[in-house]
Each structure stands twice: as structure tokens, then as C-alpha cells.
Amino acid sequence: MEIKRKNKTQLLSKIATNDRYGENSPYFDGWKAYDNNPFHPTQNPNGVIQMGLAENKLCFDLIKKWIMENPDASICTAGGVDKFKDVAIFQDYHGLKEFREAIAKFMGRVGGNKVTFDASRIVMSSGATGANETIMFCLVNPGDAFLVPSPYYPGFARDLRWRTGLEIVPVDCKSSNNFRITRAAMEDAYEKAQKWNLNVKGIIIANPSNPLGTTLDIETMRSLVAFVNEKNIHLVCDEIYAATVFDSPRFVSVAEVIQDMDCCNRDLIHIVYSLSKDMGIPGFRVGIVYSFNDDVMLCARKMSSFGLVSSQTQYLLASMLSDDGFVGNFLRESSKRLAKRHYVFTKGLEQVGISCLTSNAGLFFWMDMRLLLKEQSFEGEIELWRVILNELKLNVSPGSSFQCSEPGWFRVCFANMDDETVEVALNRIRAFVLNRENQESNRSKRCWRKKHLRLSFSSTRLYDETIMSPCMISPHSPLVRAKT
Amino acid sequence: MAIEIEKPSSVRLSKVAISKTHGEDSPYFAGWKAYDENPYDEIHNQSGVIQMGLAENQVSFDLLEKYLEEHHEVSSWGKGAPGFRENALFQDYHGLKSFRQAMANFMEQIRGGKAKFDPDRIVLTAGATAANELLTFILADPGDALLVPTPYYPGFDRDLRWRTGVKIVPIHCNSSNNFQITPEALEAAYQSAESMDLKVRGILITNPSNPLGSTIQSSVLNDILDFAAHKNIHLVSDEIYSGSTFSPSEFVSIAEILRNRNYKDAERVHIVYSLSKDLGLPGFRVGTIYSYNDDVVTTARRMSSFTLISSQTQHLLACMLSNHEFTQNYIKTNRERLNKRYDMIIQGLKKAGIECLKGNAGLFCWMNLSPLLNEPTRQGELELWNIILNQVKLNISPGSSCHCSEPGWFRVCFANMSEQTLRVALQRIHKFMEQRKVCSVNQ
């Protein structure tokens, strides 16, 4: 139907018309390239391989098996339908008791059973996206600031800031110490915020880190807790990748750290969790706010009315996560498969001289491409990214979209594809590096006086101009529909 | 079990967090607490509080259960149903195309085909609660105002105002013309906002109305749309009860009004819908925004990231609502049962000497107890409400919690209980009215 479009006589709000919805970045442009030309092993072997989406596709077989063996957990089967009515009318924002208990138990197990989570403190949200925004609504007023160690998840720009009016002040972390969050860097960021007249209300970290793929060590965790207590600000720990740890050191939740710290004001400590990464079910929108602060817990619970988890989903997961045998097996298998995938990839890259930050968690690794930059700058990084995207047809994510303070780093996702696709991706990278080395060696033989490095490929096609515009907003969702 | 915290929090939370705009301190919710503490049960607690303050639809569950029993292979992920993996991964904020298509069809069927809906204009949210808040974030800035006809759903105080910082300015409606919205009332509300230095960004109507239980007439809808166009503001029509009209011909959607006007002024119109009332599935959190404004659709879609519907639920409902035979039969049967329930309660109240506003939709009736008030004030109304809650043990909702400007009206829900329980409730009311007659005769 044709609706005549008037010339913006309908004014929308400032929130609606600013650009804090955060889709203007290479992070999302790369997804568009994938959308337009998705890789398929037989139907489109030259397509773009999606390595920019941190999805966990490695353990669906385990979940599917459980579902088929437990038909009563679904209210749509003959066995479960007598629960349909009670579940369908349940909209209490406390959530199903069995669901909260199952989640609390699961979080405890993921934390290595070093700490017990209280089921009555579990508050629901629509994914971690909803949880992070909800916490900010509880803690900040428009114009306040939160410190965020960089590099950080690009979605924070939207989730923390868009509707809350929050400002982000990055805490710069450096490769010289493997991007650890130092006390000095935190102090620096805090002072910078003061200079800009920003009221700092807290610091938010992701542990394990996205995009680094590393768990925070206990010393850093203690240092964070001490810092927030001294400044009397909040500490929000996004632990969404907690169960993706596949190597030592083990995951240590902030809940465990504060158990041994008597000096800590627990009212400052809040955890965000979700099943989207650990279990690979982002579609189910299961986000959790777990705050040690009663007022925040009560407020977040009221706010959860705006993003409750579907009772149908609560019911299914309550059943699944209460199955101790299933959970134990799932966590073990998942770690094993992630470890193997990580090893294959990083070893493969190592063989062609590409190194990655040593990591033990996450669905991605942090790849060091500094040596391949034409110039050590963010322009150089974007130029290399364009080559990787358009010539190698790999959608990896440039470090600048994570606000990394140093150019040349890229996040590469590895858990969202099958083994064959991993091989294809590695082969493309090998070919690129070897080709580059040949070019280098030929160039230095023929034209040693020339200043510029030329990269030439078999394809005569130059990079696609339509993707280059930094103002390009994808009309499609950046959240790509999954394809096997 | 709450953890005991000895020292008070020394770090201030946000203004939003410490405000009372979440609205839970109202009698609307206090009555629910009384019910929670002493819930009526046909067998185990016959003297408990009967919940008549919750607008839920439980009259047609058997139809849903029957559908699931006969079609569980299609909607579940058992043998013969592929797609668990794709479904569990699907977090695209456009929503499942099949689900949007099914919702569009369902909305068309409810309107008897008198309006068409484009699935690409449907934005999904976790319930109408989220849809109304989201639209407010998009259409108004903090400190701006929305005009809302009274009496209105108490939840709007939270949904439209709490985190958005937007204000509600009431459009006063009264019993002299059955609480219809008049152009004079619209203008008066607008002037009132201006006099308080508030910028009006839109009008939000609920059609069919909660708590009145009646549909808005075409002529009034046209007046409201004309007013919105004249003032260059938005119009949000919350049509959450559209499938709960007792007779299909009596509901006119704003979509129909637009169609009849050839979509003139459409870009300022936005419809909210949900399956919580018509299908009785509030737990599933299924809300939608349907906007005729491209920018609103795009922005709302992006913002829905904070409140997406579980893909598991989208999948189930896409299957269910794509079955035309099922939906046709459901809509028709549901209407008949609600109508029957409505007749039952109206007759029962009449026998007890109580009048109600003439209703034709919804899960409740709007009852007039003003003759019983000790004094014609809000205080008098709350005193009466206390008696009904604590002595008669019926949780009904006082009109003041709906911002009604006339004291003595109460919203009484009838679709969230069995017929037997409704009979018990009517007996209690009858007895209460009899006792009052005796008392007044003896005075």
C-alpha cells in the first residue's frame, strides 16, 4: 500500500534521530557484505565467510538430543500440553521459580561451584542487551559517564548509551601488557572524565573479554573491586562468555572475588549474564541481571516488565538446566570443542606467521595483523580490512570498531561455522600471506627504490565502493539470520 | 529470601530508579497483594479473595490446547520438525517473516478484512508494555507530554512515563456522555498542557477502551485524527482488545479510518497490538507496533533489540496463527464466550441493583457504585473499595487508580475465572447490597 511520505513534518524525538543506535561502523558493514554474498560450500564457495559474528554453533546436537528425549519440557507436545495454560498466563516479573533456581544453579556451576547464586536475586531481561541497558537505567542519569576498558564490544555504544543518555569514557589497554586493565589506565580514564566534567558512576567490564577472548586474572579483578570501592562507583561485570572458557586459567566470577574481600561494599557490584553465548541460543532472549544491591535488584525487576523472558522459554530452560547430567556433559563437551576449534585456527595462522593474543575463552580470537599494515594507523587498518573483506572474502572485525587504541588488531570468530569452512578460511588466509610474500620478494628484487607496497591479486576487481562509506547504514538487520 | 544488607547504599542510584513513577504504590496493585495473600479457590479456600482486578482472558484456552494436541509435530522440534538450530540462533530484529505474516493476517481477520496490514511494517516487542514505552521514546523527548483520555489503564503511568521522562496530560471524559472523547475535551487537554509549558507530542487512545469495555465510534476516531493533524502531533492507537469485541461489526480500527481517508495523515498514526488479551497468552510476551511512518518503523525496529520476542515463541505462534481455520474459529468462539460472560455479569449486577456502563468489548465491565459512596470524593471511593476488598473479598479496581475524574466507578474483570467462581462473586455482591439496604432501612 502506498503511504505518501511527508517531508519530515512529523518530528521524532532526539533519541530517535541521533546516531547512537550504533549501526554506523565497519563492524556492521562487514555483515552487510556477508548478507549480500554469503559463503556456501557447494552453492557459493567464493562467497564471504562470516567471521564477524560471535555465535556458538558447536553444541546444538547436545541440546536437540535433550529436547527430543524430554518432550514434556515443551508445552506444545502431547506430554507437556497440560501445563500450557499455567505457563501461558504466567507474566509475573519475578519469573518462574523453577527457572530462577535453574539459572542460579547453572551460573554457580559455570563459576566452578566456588560461589552460590541466590535464586531470589535473579532478575530477567531480554538478552544481555536488555540487561546492560536496564542496569544503566538503574545507575545513571543522562550525561553521567561509565568507564569501559577498550577494546570493547561495539554493541555497548548502543546498549549503554542510546536511551539512557550515558557517556562512555574508554580505559585504554595496551598490547605491551596483553591488554590487561591496569590501575594506572583506570585512574587516567577517571581523571580524563573529571576534566571533561563528567560524573563517573561506574566501570563496566566483560569477563571473559570480548574481543580479547581472555579471562581476567584474580589480581586485576581485585584491583577493579578496590578501585570502585575507593571511588565509590559501581562495578558491572558482563560475564556472558563465562562458560566458553576452554583453557586455564579458569573463569573467576566477580561473585567469587568479593567473597574474600571484606572491605568491599557489595552494593556496588552487579553481574550481567545470558545464555546466548554459553549455550548458543541468542534467539531465546535470556538475559539476567544479578545485583548484590537490593535497591538495584528491586528496580531492575520492575523494569524487567519491559523485557521479560517468554514463559514458554522459561519453562523449557528450567527443565533443561535442572538436568544435572545434561548440564555437566554440555559444559565439558562445549569446552572441549571450543578448545579444539581454537587450536586448529590459531595453529593454522601461526604456520603462516600470523600471531594472536594468547587466549583461553570466548568464541573468537584477537589476531595481530600489525606487520601487514601499509601504515601503522587506523586508515592502514581499514585499508587492510577492506582487502580481507573484499578480496579474501572473510568478514573479520577491525579493532577500531572495538575502540582499540592501537591499529592492526582484528577479532576473528571461529565458533559459528563447521570444520570444512574453517579449512576454507585458513586456506584463503594462507594464500593471501604467501601471495603477499611473493609480491614482496619480487618487488624488492625489481624495484627496491619504490616506496609504496603494491598488493596485487588474481581478481582485477577493486574494493566495492558501496561498502566504503562510513555513513552507510545497512537497511538490513545487522543481526544476520543464521545459515549453516 | 532477601539477603540482609546492614549498611544503607551510599552510592546514589539514578533519578529514574528512586522515583515512584513505576506506579506500584497504587490501590490497583494493593488489591493484587490482598489476593496473593488469600487467593480464592473453589475447593480449598472458598472464603478467599476473588481476583477481579486482573484483565486476563481464560475463557478460550481449551481451543488453544486442542490445537496444540492436534498439531504438536509442527510447532515443536520433535521428529519431523526441523529447524531447532536455526530457530535458537535467530535473533534478527526484523522478526521471523512467517510470524510477522501470521500476525498481519490475524490482525486483518479481527478487523473482518476492513483493513490490510503489511508484514514489513510490523515491529515486534516483548509485550504491549514494551511497545508503548518504545513508541514514547521515539515520539517524545523527556519533559514532553502525551494526551491520554481518562479513565485509562493504570499501567500507562509507568509504561509511558517512567524511564522516558514524558508526562501524561489527561483528556477528561465523564459519564454524562458515556465517557466519550469530545473535541472540546481534546482542546481543553491541549490548552492545559500548554499552560504548564509542556510540548504535546501525541495522543494515545485505547480502542476498545480499558477500563470502559467499550469501542470508540468512527465519528470520534475521525475527530481525534483531525485534531492530531491540526496540531501536527502523533496518534497512537492501542488496539490490544480488538479481538475481544463481542460483535465484529462494532469495532472500528484506526486502520479502517485511514483506509477510508485514503491514508491522508497516516504518517502520524501508530498502532499497538498484543496477543496477551485476545489469545490469553500474557506470559509469552508478544507485542507489536504497526506504524505507517517509515522512520518510526526503522527506529522502532532498531530499538526492539532491547525487547525482542523469544524465537521459540515466534515459531510456535507463526504455526498457530497461520492456520486460518483455527484462527477463524477461535476469533468467533472467543467473542461468543466473552459476550456470554458479559451478559452474565451485567444481569447479575442488575439483580443486585447495580448499573454498569454499556459495554461491548474487553474482559471487564465498568461498574457504577457512586450511589453507595459516603461522600462523592476519591476518599469516599477508596473507603468503599476497602470494604469490598476486605469484607466482600472481591479485588476490583477503583476508578481513581484509572484517573477517572468522577468517583464511584470500578473496573470488574470477568474473563479470568470459571463461571462457577463468577457466580460466587455475584452472590457475594448480591449479599453485600442486601445488607446495605437493610442497614439503610434501619437507620
Side-chain angles (χ1 to χ4, degrees), chain A residues 419-431:
Chain A
D419 293 332
E420 289 70 32
T421 310
V422 171
E423 262 319 297
V424 173
L426 279 172
N427 285 336
R428 289 184 187 179
I429 295 174
R430 282 184 196 117

Side-chain angles (χ1 to χ4, degrees), chain A residues 7-137:
Chain A
N7 278 334
K8 305 266 186 190
T9 49
Q10 292 316 299
L11 284 175
L12 303 190
S13 66
K14 295 190 182 83
I15 285 177
T17 48
N18 70 26
D19 62 356
R20 287 186 170 209
Y21 59 86
E23 288 177 17
N24 294 349
S25 132
Y27 185 71
F28 298 103
D29 289 347
W31 290 2
K32 193 192 174 219
Y34 168 80
D35 269 345
N36 290 340
N37 183 20
F39 170 81
H40 186 277
T42 47
Q43 289 161 24
N44 191 16
N46 294 320
V48 176
I49 297 178
Q50 173 65 287
M51 306 186 85
L53 190 53
E55 275 177 351
N56 184 353
K57 294 188 188 177
L58 301 185
C59 290
F60 277 120
D61 57 314
L62 303 177
I63 298 177
K64 198 165 173 187
K65 181 168 176 285
W66 188 92
I67 288 176
M68 282 167 57
E69 289 170 0
N70 293 273
D72 292 0
S74 163
I75 51 177
C76 308
T77 58
V81 77
D82 60 345
K83 285 281 187 292
F84 179 81
K85 181 169 154 160
D86 290 335
V87 171
I89 58 177
F90 188 85
Q91 59 173 330
D92 181 344
Y93 63 25
H94 288 79
L96 279 175
K97 184 159 166 285
E98 306 78 22
F99 174 70
R100 279 186 284 112
E101 284 168 354
I103 292 282
K105 207 159 68 152
F106 187 73
M107 286 171 72
R109 281 190 85 157
V110 166
N113 288 323
K114 302 287 184 192
V115 66
T116 310
F117 288 92
D118 179 357
S120 68
R121 299 196 88 83
I122 299 281
V123 171
M124 296 181 286
S125 62
S126 181
T129 300
N132 280 318
E133 193 200 39
T134 294
I135 291 239
M136 293 306 144
F137 267 123

